[in-house]
Amino acid sequence: MTTQQGSCHCGRIKFEVDGDIDSGLSCNCSICQRKGSLLWFVPRPALRLSTPESDLATYTFNHHVIQHHFCPTCGIHPFGEGKMPNGEPMAAVNIRCIEGIDLEAVPVKHYDGRAK
Ligand SMILES: [Zn+2]
């Protein structure tokens, strides 16, 4: 297993996440469409912030079950937090924020979030 480094654009939010990125989820729901994020889901304990948690800004909407975190300085959305279907805490990492990632090499899966 590898450890990935990620950050927002300005560096106010930095994190490490354990695991191998096998694919990115492109979702067409109202927020993912606008953010253009490519999501990779990991158990929440696999993600460690190396900058203060209090530096995260958080947006919620609809059922408020997902916390969409973003950087209040540069506006980039590095990850969100929610729960897996089984209730375990998970993080949805925006792999566009992973350092040095070869995005062309990551298979993209499309998810029809708009229909949910
Ligand atoms: Zn930033």
Side-chain angles (χ1 to χ4, degrees):
M1 193 159 68
T2 46
T3 298
Q4 324 279 345
Q5 314 283 333
S7 68
C8 67
H9 188 260
C10 72
R12 186 169 174 184
I13 297 169
K14 288 187 180 149
F15 60 93
E16 286 187 343
V17 56
D18 296 326
D20 297 309
I21 300 170
D22 52 351
S23 62
L25 188 81
S26 172
C27 174
N28 65 358
C29 81
S30 60
I31 192 160
C32 291
Q33 174 195 319
R34 285 166 173 79
K35 286 197 284 199
S37 42
L38 267 182
L39 298 176
W40 173 49
F41 297 89
V42 296
R44 180 60 185 84
L47 184 147
R48 294 175 300 279
L49 271 170
S50 38
T51 49
E53 195 152 338
S54 56
D55 276 356
L56 291 172
T58 301
Y59 175 64
T60 65
F61 68 104
N62 197 6
H63 299 296
H64 304 279
V65 289
I66 302 171
Q67 296 169 288
H68 301 271
H69 295 306
F70 62 98
C71 172
T73 301
C74 69
I76 296 297
H77 292 68
F79 68 95
E81 288 181 83
K83 287 193 190 324
M84 303 271 195
N86 67 4
E88 297 280 320
M90 64 93 186
V93 178
N94 180 6
I95 60 171
R96 294 187 186 278
C97 294
I98 299 291
E99 252 169 52
I101 189 170
D102 180 6
L103 283 169
E104 302 300 317
V106 177
V108 173
K109 293 180 183 165
H110 292 273
Y111 181 72
D112 191 6
R114 194 183 293 169
K116 303 294 167 191

PDB file of all heavy atoms in Angstrom, residues 67-83:
ATOM      1  N   GLN A  67     -20.005  16.250   4.435  1.00  0.00           N
ATOM      2  CA  GLN A  67     -19.341  17.518   4.711  1.00  0.00           C
ATOM      3  C   GLN A  67     -18.352  17.774   3.575  1.00  0.00           C
ATOM      4  O   GLN A  67     -17.356  17.070   3.446  1.00  0.00           O
ATOM      5  CB  GLN A  67     -18.612  17.448   6.048  1.00  0.00           C
ATOM      6  CG  GLN A  67     -19.571  17.257   7.210  1.00  0.00           C
ATOM      7  CD  GLN A  67     -18.799  16.928   8.460  1.00  0.00           C
ATOM      8  OE1 GLN A  67     -18.260  15.847   8.622  1.00  0.00           O
ATOM      9  NE2 GLN A  67     -18.716  17.914   9.336  1.00  0.00           N
ATOM     10  N   HIS A  68     -18.659  18.770   2.773  1.00  0.00           N
ATOM     11  CA  HIS A  68     -17.788  19.120   1.650  1.00  0.00           C
ATOM     12  C   HIS A  68     -16.775  20.140   2.143  1.00  0.00           C
ATOM     13  O   HIS A  68     -17.128  21.288   2.409  1.00  0.00           O
ATOM     14  CB  HIS A  68     -18.620  19.712   0.509  1.00  0.00           C
ATOM     15  CG  HIS A  68     -19.677  18.777  -0.009  1.00  0.00           C
ATOM     16  ND1 HIS A  68     -19.431  17.882  -1.023  1.00  0.00           N
ATOM     17  CD2 HIS A  68     -20.964  18.579   0.361  1.00  0.00           C
ATOM     18  CE1 HIS A  68     -20.528  17.180  -1.265  1.00  0.00           C
ATOM     19  NE2 HIS A  68     -21.479  17.574  -0.439  1.00  0.00           N
ATOM     20  N   HIS A  69     -15.543  19.687   2.320  1.00  0.00           N
ATOM     21  CA  HIS A  69     -14.517  20.584   2.856  1.00  0.00           C
ATOM     22  C   HIS A  69     -13.818  21.340   1.732  1.00  0.00           C
ATOM     23  O   HIS A  69     -13.561  20.780   0.663  1.00  0.00           O
ATOM     24  CB  HIS A  69     -13.468  19.786   3.641  1.00  0.00           C
ATOM     25  CG  HIS A  69     -14.029  19.128   4.862  1.00  0.00           C
ATOM     26  ND1 HIS A  69     -14.718  19.817   5.829  1.00  0.00           N
ATOM     27  CD2 HIS A  69     -13.991  17.838   5.272  1.00  0.00           C
ATOM     28  CE1 HIS A  69     -15.082  18.974   6.782  1.00  0.00           C
ATOM     29  NE2 HIS A  69     -14.668  17.773   6.471  1.00  0.00           N
ATOM     30  N   PHE A  70     -13.488  22.577   2.028  1.00  0.00           N
ATOM     31  CA  PHE A  70     -12.729  23.366   1.053  1.00  0.00           C
ATOM     32  C   PHE A  70     -11.820  24.345   1.783  1.00  0.00           C
ATOM     33  O   PHE A  70     -11.961  24.579   2.987  1.00  0.00           O
ATOM     34  CB  PHE A  70     -13.670  24.096   0.084  1.00  0.00           C
ATOM     35  CG  PHE A  70     -14.605  25.085   0.728  1.00  0.00           C
ATOM     36  CD1 PHE A  70     -14.307  26.442   0.751  1.00  0.00           C
ATOM     37  CD2 PHE A  70     -15.787  24.657   1.319  1.00  0.00           C
ATOM     38  CE1 PHE A  70     -15.174  27.359   1.342  1.00  0.00           C
ATOM     39  CE2 PHE A  70     -16.656  25.564   1.915  1.00  0.00           C
ATOM     40  CZ  PHE A  70     -16.351  26.911   1.930  1.00  0.00           C
ATOM     41  N   CYS A  71     -10.873  24.882   1.040  1.00  0.00           N
ATOM     42  CA  CYS A  71      -9.919  25.824   1.629  1.00  0.00           C
ATOM     43  C   CYS A  71     -10.499  27.232   1.563  1.00  0.00           C
ATOM     44  O   CYS A  71     -10.856  27.693   0.480  1.00  0.00           O
ATOM     45  CB  CYS A  71      -8.607  25.762   0.857  1.00  0.00           C
ATOM     46  SG  CYS A  71      -7.463  27.063   1.371  1.00  0.00           S
ATOM     47  N   PRO A  72     -10.590  27.918   2.704  1.00  0.00           N
ATOM     48  CA  PRO A  72     -11.156  29.263   2.693  1.00  0.00           C
ATOM     49  C   PRO A  72     -10.248  30.284   2.016  1.00  0.00           C
ATOM     50  O   PRO A  72     -10.694  31.379   1.683  1.00  0.00           O
ATOM     51  CB  PRO A  72     -11.334  29.593   4.181  1.00  0.00           C
ATOM     52  CG  PRO A  72     -10.448  28.659   4.913  1.00  0.00           C
ATOM     53  CD  PRO A  72     -10.239  27.445   4.048  1.00  0.00           C
ATOM     54  N   THR A  73      -8.984  29.930   1.783  1.00  0.00           N
ATOM     55  CA  THR A  73      -8.069  30.867   1.121  1.00  0.00           C
ATOM     56  C   THR A  73      -8.134  30.725  -0.395  1.00  0.00           C
ATOM     57  O   THR A  73      -8.347  31.694  -1.110  1.00  0.00           O
ATOM     58  CB  THR A  73      -6.623  30.648   1.611  1.00  0.00           C
ATOM     59  OG1 THR A  73      -6.595  30.840   3.028  1.00  0.00           O
ATOM     60  CG2 THR A  73      -5.661  31.622   0.943  1.00  0.00           C
ATOM     61  N   CYS A  74      -7.944  29.496  -0.904  1.00  0.00           N
ATOM     62  CA  CYS A  74      -7.859  29.330  -2.362  1.00  0.00           C
ATOM     63  C   CYS A  74      -9.115  28.716  -2.967  1.00  0.00           C
ATOM     64  O   CYS A  74      -9.252  28.700  -4.189  1.00  0.00           O
ATOM     65  CB  CYS A  74      -6.626  28.513  -2.737  1.00  0.00           C
ATOM     66  SG  CYS A  74      -6.698  26.778  -2.248  1.00  0.00           S
ATOM     67  N   GLY A  75     -10.021  28.194  -2.135  1.00  0.00           N
ATOM     68  CA  GLY A  75     -11.301  27.719  -2.649  1.00  0.00           C
ATOM     69  C   GLY A  75     -11.308  26.309  -3.193  1.00  0.00           C
ATOM     70  O   GLY A  75     -12.343  25.831  -3.657  1.00  0.00           O
ATOM     71  N   ILE A  76     -10.156  25.636  -3.149  1.00  0.00           N
ATOM     72  CA  ILE A  76     -10.091  24.272  -3.693  1.00  0.00           C
ATOM     73  C   ILE A  76     -10.730  23.279  -2.711  1.00  0.00           C
ATOM     74  O   ILE A  76     -10.615  23.422  -1.504  1.00  0.00           O
ATOM     75  CB  ILE A  76      -8.610  23.889  -3.982  1.00  0.00           C
ATOM     76  CG1 ILE A  76      -8.033  24.793  -5.063  1.00  0.00           C
ATOM     77  CG2 ILE A  76      -8.477  22.412  -4.357  1.00  0.00           C
ATOM     78  CD1 ILE A  76      -8.698  24.688  -6.427  1.00  0.00           C
ATOM     79  N   HIS A  77     -11.406  22.265  -3.257  1.00  0.00           N
ATOM     80  CA  HIS A  77     -12.087  21.238  -2.465  1.00  0.00           C
ATOM     81  C   HIS A  77     -11.247  19.955  -2.469  1.00  0.00           C
ATOM     82  O   HIS A  77     -11.371  19.168  -3.406  1.00  0.00           O
ATOM     83  CB  HIS A  77     -13.443  20.903  -3.076  1.00  0.00           C
ATOM     84  CG  HIS A  77     -14.453  21.999  -3.002  1.00  0.00           C
ATOM     85  ND1 HIS A  77     -14.341  23.171  -3.719  1.00  0.00           N
ATOM     86  CD2 HIS A  77     -15.617  22.099  -2.315  1.00  0.00           C
ATOM     87  CE1 HIS A  77     -15.387  23.934  -3.451  1.00  0.00           C
ATOM     88  NE2 HIS A  77     -16.180  23.313  -2.610  1.00  0.00           N
ATOM     89  N   PRO A  78     -10.412  19.707  -1.460  1.00  0.00           N
ATOM     90  CA  PRO A  78      -9.563  18.510  -1.505  1.00  0.00           C
ATOM     91  C   PRO A  78     -10.288  17.215  -1.133  1.00  0.00           C
ATOM     92  O   PRO A  78      -9.936  16.164  -1.627  1.00  0.00           O
ATOM     93  CB  PRO A  78      -8.457  18.791  -0.493  1.00  0.00           C
ATOM     94  CG  PRO A  78      -8.643  20.218  -0.065  1.00  0.00           C
ATOM     95  CD  PRO A  78     -10.058  20.553  -0.332  1.00  0.00           C
ATOM     96  N   PHE A  79     -11.271  17.293  -0.239  1.00  0.00           N
ATOM     97  CA  PHE A  79     -11.973  16.060   0.148  1.00  0.00           C
ATOM     98  C   PHE A  79     -13.268  16.394   0.882  1.00  0.00           C
ATOM     99  O   PHE A  79     -13.497  17.531   1.304  1.00  0.00           O
ATOM    100  CB  PHE A  79     -11.084  15.153   1.023  1.00  0.00           C
ATOM    101  CG  PHE A  79     -10.764  15.701   2.394  1.00  0.00           C
ATOM    102  CD1 PHE A  79     -11.517  15.358   3.498  1.00  0.00           C
ATOM    103  CD2 PHE A  79      -9.695  16.573   2.568  1.00  0.00           C
ATOM    104  CE1 PHE A  79     -11.219  15.863   4.756  1.00  0.00           C
ATOM    105  CE2 PHE A  79      -9.386  17.085   3.817  1.00  0.00           C
ATOM    106  CZ  PHE A  79     -10.154  16.735   4.912  1.00  0.00           C
ATOM    107  N   GLY A  80     -14.090  15.365   1.001  1.00  0.00           N
ATOM    108  CA  GLY A  80     -15.310  15.479   1.781  1.00  0.00           C
ATOM    109  C   GLY A  80     -15.364  14.324   2.767  1.00  0.00           C
ATOM    110  O   GLY A  80     -14.560  13.383   2.684  1.00  0.00           O
ATOM    111  N   GLU A  81     -16.293  14.402   3.695  1.00  0.00           N
ATOM    112  CA  GLU A  81     -16.449  13.331   4.679  1.00  0.00           C
ATOM    113  C   GLU A  81     -17.911  12.925   4.752  1.00  0.00           C
ATOM    114  O   GLU A  81     -18.807  13.767   4.688  1.00  0.00           O
ATOM    115  CB  GLU A  81     -16.017  13.807   6.062  1.00  0.00           C
ATOM    116  CG  GLU A  81     -14.534  13.970   6.225  1.00  0.00           C
ATOM    117  CD  GLU A  81     -14.193  14.415   7.633  1.00  0.00           C
ATOM    118  OE1 GLU A  81     -14.111  13.546   8.512  1.00  0.00           O
ATOM    119  OE2 GLU A  81     -14.042  15.624   7.845  1.00  0.00           O
ATOM    120  N   GLY A  82     -18.102  11.625   4.920  1.00  0.00           N
ATOM    121  CA  GLY A  82     -19.460  11.110   5.062  1.00  0.00           C
ATOM    122  C   GLY A  82     -19.396   9.716   5.641  1.00  0.00           C
ATOM    123  O   GLY A  82     -18.456   9.384   6.358  1.00  0.00           O
ATOM    124  N   LYS A  83     -20.399   8.925   5.302  1.00  0.00           N
ATOM    125  CA  LYS A  83     -20.432   7.546   5.789  1.00  0.00           C
ATOM    126  C   LYS A  83     -20.616   6.590   4.627  1.00  0.00           C
ATOM    127  O   LYS A  83     -21.309   6.891   3.660  1.00  0.00           O
ATOM    128  CB  LYS A  83     -21.584   7.375   6.781  1.00  0.00           C
ATOM    129  CG  LYS A  83     -21.329   8.044   8.125  1.00  0.00           C
ATOM    130  CD  LYS A  83     -22.346   7.565   9.155  1.00  0.00           C
ATOM    131  CE  LYS A  83     -22.313   8.355  10.460  1.00  0.00           C
ATOM    132  NZ  LYS A  83     -21.006   8.805  10.924  1.00  0.00           N
TER     133      LYS A  83
END
